[in-house]
Amino acid sequence: MEPVNYTAISEFLLLGLTEDLALQPLIFSLFLSMYLVTVLGNLLIILAVSSDSRLHTPMYAFLCSLSFNDICLSTSTVPKMLGNLQTQDPSITYTGCLCQMFFVLVFAYLENFLLAVMAYDRYVAICHPLRYTVIMLPHFCVLLVLVSVSISTVDALLHTLMVLRLSFCTDLGIPHFFCELAQVVKLACSDTSVDNVLIYVATCIFGGVPLSGIIFSYVHIVSSVLRMPSAEGKHKAFSTCGSHLSVVALFYGTGAGLYMSSAFTDSPRNSAVASVMYTVVPQMLNPFIYSLRNRDLNEALRSLIGRITSFL
């Protein structure tokens, strides 16, 4: 049996989306713009909801949680990538890589749960409108978010601790713009069968269960809406769900695209490009989707921007 060249590693190399130096300034500008739009857009959503008492409802509270999570998810990946592009240094410390991987997992899983919680909120509002204020009490809404955070954190911590037990060889280049769990596991020289099984099981449970909850909620929502006698009531019910459905389609659609890219291509770089559509693009577009399709939120945003411009 040939000896394996293990090493006590101190850093990984994030190889990014391309090694073409001519394209890197363009990529830097593109991702910087996307990150700034993500932070500004989601921050405006949070400020608009906080400043308008009419929007102090469970639906908008969950929207604020989703916006904050989108900021955190983008912040856990994009700034490090921008720093590496600016300095032309692709390295990330071993500890930094594990920390980044942990936070990406936390916020990615939390996005799933928050979308499911928001679907449940719409289900109660449309299917059980008379009991909505009784069911969606403030402490119950807080409990839903806290449970989602706790499950996401525990699962991410479990994956991170499993990576800690792995041994790595001298090939430490990650063909990605952040420390993605699957790519880090592929670099290990020791047995990764348990890690791979854990990734598969966790994806099925913590991705599949929220998605099943969303589908279940909207099956009942559509059934209830179709039984409404008035066309105006149907339109109002569908309009309250339109933004959330668009966000769900964007998030899970890009996630499915990432999975298909990983399953049907052997190119890690193609997988890295596909992951941009999952970890960066939805977080940037979510504020636009909600502000364009929600009249109350749109009015609150206009009022907030008007106050900001008058103050300046």
Side-chain angles (χ1 to χ4, degrees):
M1 182 176 180
E2 296 183 1
V4 181
N5 187 14
Y6 295 101
T7 180
I9 65 171
S10 60
E11 63 180 23
F12 290 98
L13 299 177
L14 296 175
L15 303 181
L17 301 178
T18 179
E19 294 180 354
D20 189 345
L21 295 178
L23 289 177
Q24 290 186 2
L26 176 62
I27 294 175
F28 178 87
S29 301
L30 177 63
F31 274 81
L32 177 61
S33 302
M34 294 171 69
Y35 179 67
L36 292 177
V37 170
T38 299
V39 173
L40 180 60
N42 284 288
L43 189 59
L44 283 175
I45 294 288
I46 295 173
L47 292 176
V49 172
S50 302
S51 62
D52 193 329
S53 59
R54 297 174 303 168
L55 303 183
H56 293 174
T57 63
M59 180 177 74
Y60 291 106
F62 293 138
L63 176 58
C64 284
S65 300
L66 181 68
S67 294
F68 180 74
N69 186 75
D70 286 341
I71 293 174
C72 293
L73 182 55
S74 294
T75 302
S76 63
T77 59
V78 178
K80 179 59 180 176
M81 175 191 183
L82 295 176
N84 287 354
L85 287 172
Q86 184 68 20
T87 61
Q88 296 295 314
D89 179 11
S91 64
I92 181 173
T93 65
Y94 177 75
T95 303
C97 185
L98 292 182
C99 289
Q100 185 183 60
M101 183 176 64
F102 170 78
F103 285 114
V104 169
L105 289 171
V106 169
F107 298 127
Y109 280 126
L110 184 55
E111 188 106 350
N112 285 277
F113 287 113
L114 288 176
L115 290 175
V117 167
M118 294 172 75
Y120 175 72
D121 173 74
R122 293 298 84 207
Y123 161 75
V124 176
I126 294 175
C127 298
H128 305 284
L130 299 179
R131 299 176 57 198
Y132 181 79
T133 55
V134 177
I135 296 175
M136 302 304 293
L137 294 171
H139 68 270
F140 179 64
C141 296
V142 172
L143 180 63
L144 288 175
V145 175
L146 289 179
V147 169
S148 300
V149 172
S150 300
I151 295 175
S152 302
T153 303
V154 170
D155 181 66
L157 184 60
L158 177 60
H159 283 297
T160 306
L161 292 175
M162 291 297 292
V163 171
L164 276 173
R165 53 179 279 275
L166 298 177
S167 299
F168 294 90
C169 303
T170 54
D171 181 14
L172 302 176
I174 301 175
H176 223 294
F177 67 96
F178 69 93
C179 288
E180 190 204 24
L181 173 62
Q183 296 295 334
V184 174
V185 170
K186 286 181 181 179
L187 296 179
C189 294
S190 52
D191 182 27
T192 60
S193 57
V194 177
D195 297 80
N196 290 324
V197 170
L198 183 61
I199 293 172
Y200 178 78
V201 172
T203 302
C204 291
I205 295 176
F206 300 118
V209 171
L211 180 59
S212 300
I214 293 171
I215 294 173
F216 173 84
S217 297
Y218 275 103
V219 166
H220 285 78
I221 287 172
V222 171
S223 177
S224 297
V225 170
L226 292 178
R227 290 198 300 267
M228 292 180 178
S230 68
E232 182 180 354
K234 292 179 180 179
H235 179 268
K236 184 178 179 180
F238 277 126
S239 65
T240 61
C241 299
S243 300
H244 180 256
L245 271 176
S246 301
V247 170
V248 168
L250 179 64
F251 182 74
Y252 283 101
T254 53
L258 174 61
Y259 173 78
M260 293 176 64
S261 173
S262 301
F264 296 105
T265 180
D266 294 329
S267 173
R269 289 300 170 85
N270 290 343
S271 177
V273 173
S275 69
V276 173
M277 300 299 297
Y278 182 72
T279 59
V280 179
V281 175
Q283 292 69 37
M284 179 186 67
L285 295 181
N286 286 352
F288 294 99
I289 294 173
Y290 273 102
S291 61
L292 289 175
R293 298 183 62 90
N294 189 303
R295 185 176 62 184
D296 293 335
L297 182 58
N298 200 4
E299 292 176 357
L301 282 169
R302 288 179 180 177
S303 176
L304 175 65
I305 294 173
R307 290 198 299 271
I308 292 175
T309 54
S310 64
F311 177 78
L312 296 176

